[in-house]
Amino acid sequence: MIRFRRGNKRSKPARTVSGAQQEFTFTRRALFVGGVQGALGLALAGRMAYISLAENERYKLLSESNRVNLTLLPPRRGWFIDRYGKPIADNRADFRVDIIPERVTDKQATVRELASLLDLSDEDVTRITKELDEKSGFQPVQVASGLDWERYAAVSVRLPDLPGVSPRQGFSRRYPAGAAVGHLIGYVGTANKEEYDKNKDPLLITPGFKIGKDGLESAFEDSLKGKPGAKRVEVTATGKIVQELTTRSDIPGKPVQLALDVDLHHYAARRLGRESGSVVVIDCQTGGILTLASMPSFDPNSFSDGIGVSEYAWLQQDDHVPLRNKALKGLYPPGSTVKPMHAMAFLQEGVKPTDAIICGGGRRIGNRFFNCWGNHGRTDMARGIYQSCDSYFYHFAQEVGFEKVAAFAHRLGMGAEFPLPVTSQFYGTVPSPSWKQEKYGEPWRTYDTVNASIGQGYYLANPLQLAVMCARLATGKNLMPHLIMDQEPPKPESLGFKDEHIAYVRSAMKDVVNGPGTAGRARLPLDNVLLAGKTGTAQVVSLSVGDGKNTRWKYRDHGLFICFAPYDNPRYACAAVIEHGGGSGAAYPVARDVLTYLYDKRKAMDSLLALEKQWGGDIQQRMASDLALFRARRGNPAPDGSTSGGDAASSQPAEQTT
Amino acid sequence: MNARSNGIVPAPIAELPWKLMLLLFCLAGFGAVVLYSAAGGSLLPWAAPHLLRFTVALGLAIGISRFSPDFWKKMTFPIYGAVLAMLILVELLGQIGGGSQRWLNLGVITLQPSELMKPTIVLTVALFFDRLPASKLHTFDAIWPPLVLMGFPSALVLLQPDLGTTITIVAGGVVVAFMAGLPMRLFVGAGAALAVLAPLAFFFGLQPYQQRRVTTFMDPSADPLGAGYHVNQSAIAIGSGGLWGKGFLDGTQSHLNYLPEGHTDFVFATMAEEWGLVGGIAILIGFALLFSWGFRVALRSNTRYGKLVAAGLTTTIFFYVSINLMMVMGLAPVVGIPLPFLSHGGSSMLTIMICIGLIMSIDRKPGRRGGAFSS
């Protein structure tokens, strides 16, 4: 070789090549080519060794995940049951169809085909198309659930032509009480992208699996969820199942028992009728919440199935705000409902029940005269309560000092946030001199005492607080409201009131309903049970706009009523609030019927059914017809704004959280 | 290489290159075993026809080897003309039929002229350099004729469009030219030019599906369900095989159809899944033996034509093997080139065996020993 190269160099000046040199060149270059080939061969061997040895584990796993299709079987969700074991939320076996966006080849054609197979409405098609665009990858989009076998089979047999479509037998959530439990229980839905991205749990994108989205469904997610089952099948690349390998069945989620009496709750929701309001009933022995109704509401059944666009729009535009749980998040000036409590506060501060004032259509407090709503003459504590005399409370609140009254109100649960498994509660305000100083940097004035003494001014409370206040006042025990059924009945501590004081206030409140009081129509239609209560009216706007009754709906006064029964041995305490009901007269019939239901279901149902006839059916029927009307109205583009129901936002009650 | 006649076996049979044929039998037999498994444990539809084709093609190769290199030298230009005519015919039929066509249906057999062009171009360029006077090797006269000879068939095949075959044809001719002794700077220069032109060609010369193959090759995981699917699944098959493989008939990638083209272009992956690295190394050794035989024939040959043809054809087979394996292992874009002796397919088997036959012919008649230098 060396010799040859020298020869080559020597011949270079001639620029010609001899045959012999060509042969050498050939040999040299052939060896070069062969060498390159050998090197490439070694590189290939190295590459193969790298893939099959160094990366063997990884590729084995990939090959296995190719071969074995692990299908998660969504666990059956734990039930919600009420205190008697009656289901509030259960699962219904059904057939369903989902689409896995990632696997769909032609979205439009697939949706069209499914629409004709399953008789989908235009709105469903719009929703599915929208979700198909929004959701990513393997997140399933629900096409339809609750299908009968024929339709399910119709889709199943066409599967080879519908890639990405997944029909399954599964379970869907059912809420027998429908809209009545919407706010309390919440609803379930498929996990959204953010929820899935959090820990990439494959269960979250399993078709048919839903997580709690709101209310208690969301709060008890962990225990309700259960553990998924799994089915391992060997599949070909085209998805044909070769053999089933193993199946592990799911472990259903644990049931959650609530302290609720769902029948009572449902009754209360129905009894609210077309009003916007809420009813809370508390067990006076344990503090368990028997009813936490807020209406109007949404139907969690349709939310859980993927709500239609127009249904959601309908809920959003409603000025009765069906998307807010008013029992916890509605804040209202408690009005006169605080009077029995204030009276108890006075008793604690040494005021004697017999201490009386003269109401002359009002009373001078400090150097100003403040009006009472009536002229009550000589008024002692009992009269002050059952006649709801403002002057009495102006006077003694001023005498005792509102700082002390406010402290007492806090002890009874006003302004409190209770330890409940709910997403949020608005806890309102109990005004006091120190509070005002801190909040506004202004001194407390006489008129502040006057306003606060009758539950107006800065005073704000939610219906649950009113019910708790009423229950504590009625029993003298520090009842804690709770939603979850207690394993053993709690023994609430005494609040330290004297028995005679408790008996006095109970009796005065009994007279509100059964004596010379303000709510005679609230009397229970029962022989042996006497109701004790207190009315309340909360002004929404100043009297200049109207008298609070005969004016536009959103300017009408809120009607409030708190009560308990039986008056001498309280078993149940209740608060009812009707937004813009035009006064307490809207609230106490509701409370009366709800408490009647506890003692005599027949009688209560009879009066409800008669009312529902006037209202146009039960909740479900009314919602269906209202929605149909809304859709029809939306269908033809009538000019907006000409109708009075257009501005929903302005009618919401004042909200304040401090 | 040739076995000596021992008097019992007739000379023509004893003269056959039995060691080589044993090697080929091993490779093709292994191919049949893999195809048997790829069909789910069945001789049909692939394994049996594969063996049959191999046998017929081997017979053809032996037939070819019976003609002397001088005969093939005389036939080179006529063959070139005939294959070129077939390429034009295919193109015309494609035009009339309204679509790309690569095959000529001759009734009993379908021919793929572009395949035949691979050995033909080697013969043609070799013949050109054989005839070229040594003194003209460094002149322009040594450059343009091979370019023209390669240009026509490449253009026709590129029109089909079949990029993989085009590259193989050009590369075959270029390697022959390289070994014939064209100045090194030409190749260095051409390589540099290619580096500049390749990106341009990529963006303006390639069909979208070809572009996708190249981009996918760069990052197969970018499109795991589309164009990268082949490469990914192939890597999974090879990688999951490990050292010893999953065992005969136990491959899941191929049997459950995750591996596309598991019996043709990706047959190596099918093999590697069941036979592991050991099987892969065995095949590489088999091919290494084949190529070293080819180069030894080339070096032993005493004629310039024989040397160039033997080395050129060996390199042509090498192109098949290396491009296929690089593609299967994710080192090259998917270009649709089968693995000789293992992939199921007639045209490539024919081409390979023609190459083998021609090298055997040179092996039998290395030519008169002469010249000043001995090897």
Side-chain angles (χ1 to χ4, degrees), chain B residues 179-256:
Chain B
M179 288 188 292
L182 277 187
M184 188 62 101
R185 59 192 145 81
L186 280 180
F187 297 97
V188 175
L194 200 64
V196 174
L197 288 176
L200 294 176
F202 171 77
F203 287 112
F204 302 109
L206 293 189
Q207 304 276 342
Y209 84 93
Q210 291 168 327
Q211 288 185 348
R212 215 158 33 240
R213 281 177 176 179
V214 176
T215 50
T216 302
F217 152 65
M218 301 297 181
D219 181 13
S221 53
D223 186 13
L225 291 176
Y229 183 77
H230 290 56
V231 179
N232 275 336
Q233 295 301 335
S234 170
I236 291 173
I238 298 172
S240 64
L243 180 59
W244 300 103
K246 292 176 185 170
F248 183 49
L249 296 179
D250 285 341
T252 55
Q253 285 289 99
S254 53
H255 290 153
L256 299 175

Side-chain angles (χ1 to χ4, degrees), chain A residues 595-610:
Chain A
L595 286 181
T596 305
Y597 184 86
L598 280 164
Y599 294 100
D600 190 338
K601 289 191 171 56
R602 270 286 297 280
K603 210 172 259 181
M605 281 312 288
D606 286 348
S607 71
L608 173 66
L609 291 174

Side-chain angles (χ1 to χ4, degrees), chain A residues 3 15-27 29-34 36-38 40-41 43-45 47-53 55-57 59-68 102 138 234-239 242, chain B residues 132 134-135 137-138 175 178-185 187 225 229 233 235-236 238-243 246 252-253 256-258 268 272-273 276-277 280-281 284 291 295 298-299 304 307-308 311 315 318 322 325-326 329-331 373:
Chain A
R3 211 155 51 94
R15 301 285 307 160
T16 56
V17 186
S18 73
Q21 280 166 341
Q22 273 187 358
E23 197 169 326
F24 264 115
T25 309
F26 171 79
T27 307
R29 293 201 174 174
L31 285 173
F32 172 75
V33 171
V36 168
Q37 294 183 4
L40 198 56
L44 284 170
R47 167 74 177 167
M48 187 176 173
Y50 176 74
I51 297 180
S52 62
L53 298 182
E55 300 205 290
N56 177 240
E57 284 304 313
Y59 283 119
K60 253 190 191 160
L61 207 71
L62 284 171
S63 145
E64 198 63 7
S65 70
N66 262 348
R67 177 178 84 93
V68 178
E102 179 77 31
F138 292 94
E234 191 174 78
V235 289
T236 68
T238 48
V242 180
Chain B
L132 186 77
S135 56
L137 198 56
H138 284 181
V175 166
F178 175 74
M179 288 188 292
L182 277 187
M184 188 62 101
R185 59 192 145 81
F187 297 97
L225 291 176
Y229 183 77
Q233 295 301 335
I236 291 173
I238 298 172
S240 64
L243 180 59
K246 292 176 185 170
T252 55
Q253 285 289 99
L256 299 175
N257 299 328
Y258 290 100
F268 186 82
E273 188 183 16
L277 181 61
I281 298 292
L284 285 175
F291 301 145
F295 274 106
L299 291 173
R304 183 157 168 77
K307 278 180 187 299
L308 290 174
T315 305
F318 174 80
S322 61
L325 291 186
M326 282 177 12
M329 294 183 200
L331 297 171
F373 303 92

